[in-house]
Amino acid sequence: MTFNKLIGIVFGLLVVTLVLLWYVKDRSGTVVVSQVDSPEVHTQQRDYVDIVFLDIGQGDATYIEFPDGTQMLVDCAKDGVVLEALGRVLPFYDTSIDILLVTHDDLDHYGGCSDVLRKYDIDRIVTNGMLMKKDAQWQSFVSDMKAEQAGTLVVAGVQSMDIASTTVQFLYPDRPLDMLGRIPGIKKDTGSNNASVVIKITYGDMDALLTGDAERELEEYLLRVYPTSTFDVEIYKAGHHGSAGSSIQSFVDAISPLHTIFSAGEGNRYGHPSLRVIKRVERVGSEVWRTDTQGDIRMRVFRDKIEVVEVTK
């Protein structure tokens, strides 16, 4: 084969490759509004925090990526459906998640966590410290946590993490929980929902509040022990999937969010989110986002603004 023929063949292959790349890019570019960021985000500082409220049916799973690429998963849905959801936001070759936060021991929040632990290397696991000794599935998850040999953090007091110019503040539990998870000042058992880990994420002037399955009793307690300004946030993931027993008027008034997210399953038997709660947040000027009708909801949080860059169903 002559040198000129060889050059011609190489050139031809290059042209075909470029055409194929154009074809794939053109077709994939029509699927979603904004593609997932390139792998360089893990080695190059960005100027925003990504928060994706994942559509996992009836339950909760929220993926957060900080400016330096540190990843956090808050809750894991009720089963392995969480892996499919994570596959929509993580490249196939990414096999690690830095922080796994399990807000409380309800199945629709921790049920898929064992699947996450088996597929991904987890560096740190955060819980509220409660143990459901009689629940076999929870105990299986506890065994998987131990096998992971990750670092652990039990939220038993007000504390915070600083991650790439972002503060993650743990507002609740603000003391070690007893076995019933009772709220201080309330003698009755208010249930596992009100033992949820509550976090506030602050980046620049922007804040997001994630309250797990917090209901009236916990919301009232938070308003008693913290200054009202603590809850003046831009993003609010509504407690307990927007149930009628949560997001009480005084709590919504204190938050007055720009964006409210309801994580719920389409046609769920609980009637989540409650129409009354939806109207309540709308009256304070909040835009409503719902995983049951809109799918994954991705918000890009800059220091001075928030962009909703992708909603897929």
Side-chain angles (χ1 to χ4, degrees):
M1 181 181 296
T2 66
F3 179 78
N4 288 338
K5 285 185 177 180
L6 180 61
I7 292 297
I9 291 172
V10 172
F11 180 79
L13 290 172
L14 179 61
V15 170
V16 171
T17 300
L18 290 173
V19 170
L20 287 174
L21 286 174
W22 172 85
Y23 181 87
V24 172
K25 181 178 180 182
D26 183 65
R27 296 307 183 271
S28 65
T30 63
V31 176
V32 297
V33 175
S34 174
Q35 299 291 337
V36 175
D37 291 297
S38 63
E40 283 77 13
V41 300
H42 295 284
T43 57
Q44 182 177 344
Q45 189 87 1
R46 302 172 307 180
D47 61 347
Y48 57 85
V49 177
D50 248 349
I51 305 180
V52 187
F53 302 92
L54 296 168
D55 176 21
I56 45 76
Q58 182 65 18
D60 261 16
T62 304
Y63 172 78
I64 303 165
E65 189 165 322
F66 297 91
D68 66 347
T70 297
Q71 301 161 324
M72 174 185 284
L73 177 63
V74 181
D75 289 331
C76 311
K78 65 179 180 180
D79 53 32
V81 70
V82 68
L83 298 183
E84 179 184 343
L86 286 171
R88 298 194 293 267
V89 294
L90 291 174
F92 70 91
Y93 51 80
D94 193 341
T95 59
S96 65
I97 295 174
D98 299 288
I99 303 167
L100 172 61
L101 167 58
V102 185
T103 59
H104 65 299
D105 51 14
D106 272 7
L107 185 63
D108 60 342
H109 290 252
Y110 84 84
C113 288
S114 287
D115 297 273
V116 171
L117 289 170
R118 294 184 189 113
K119 181 169 182 177
Y120 295 94
D121 293 324
I122 307 298
D123 184 61
R124 181 180 295 187
I125 301 173
V126 182
T127 70
N128 65 2
M130 291 189 70
L131 298 175
M132 291 175 57
K133 295 184 181 299
K134 295 181 181 180
D135 188 299
Q137 189 161 347
W138 175 260
Q139 288 307 309
S140 177
F141 166 55
V142 171
S143 296
D144 290 333
M145 280 198 296
K146 293 177 180 177
E148 184 71 14
Q149 297 185 328
T152 58
L153 171 64
V154 173
V155 181
V158 180
Q159 53 193 302
S160 63
M161 291 181 182
D162 292 317
I163 306 172
S165 303
T166 310
T167 299
V168 179
Q169 186 177 7
F170 298 95
L171 300 176
Y172 194 83
D174 55 356
R175 87 277 179 238
L177 294 175
D178 65 22
M179 291 305 295
L180 296 177
R182 292 188 181 93
I183 295 172
I186 299 179
K187 293 182 179 181
K188 69 175 183 177
D189 176 8
T190 56
S192 62
N193 286 344
N194 285 318
S196 294
V197 176
V198 176
I199 66 171
K200 178 181 177 182
I201 301 169
T202 301
Y203 184 64
D205 295 329
M206 300 291 104
D207 304 284
L209 184 68
L210 282 67
T211 62
D213 270 355
E215 298 177 317
R216 169 184 294 274
E217 293 89 349
L218 180 52
E219 292 171 350
E220 290 175 339
Y221 174 74
L222 292 172
L223 290 175
R224 287 199 304 271
V225 299
Y226 288 101
T228 303
S229 59
T230 303
F231 304 103
D232 182 13
V233 305
E234 286 68 40
I235 297 173
Y236 170 47
K237 194 203 74 63
H240 200 195
H241 321 289
S243 75
S246 63
S247 299
I248 60 175
Q249 188 66 60
S250 56
F251 198 58
V252 170
D253 289 342
I255 299 170
S256 191
L258 297 177
H259 303 279
T260 299
I261 299 87
F262 295 101
S263 179
E266 188 173 7
N268 69 84
R269 63 190 178 94
Y270 307 102
H272 297 160
S274 161
L275 180 59
R276 179 177 296 180
V277 173
I278 293 173
K279 294 298 183 184
R280 194 173 291 160
V281 298
E282 287 179 335
R283 283 196 296 270
V284 297
S286 179
E287 189 162 3
V288 169
W289 304 92
R290 299 173 53 168
T291 62
D292 60 333
T293 59
Q294 296 169 295
D296 295 340
I297 299 163
R298 168 176 265 141
M299 295 189 174
R300 187 162 288 177
V301 181
F302 294 86
R303 292 179 180 275
D304 58 353
K305 64 178 181 178
I306 295 164
E307 294 180 357
V308 181
V309 297
E310 185 176 331
V311 177
T312 59
K313 184 66 174 177

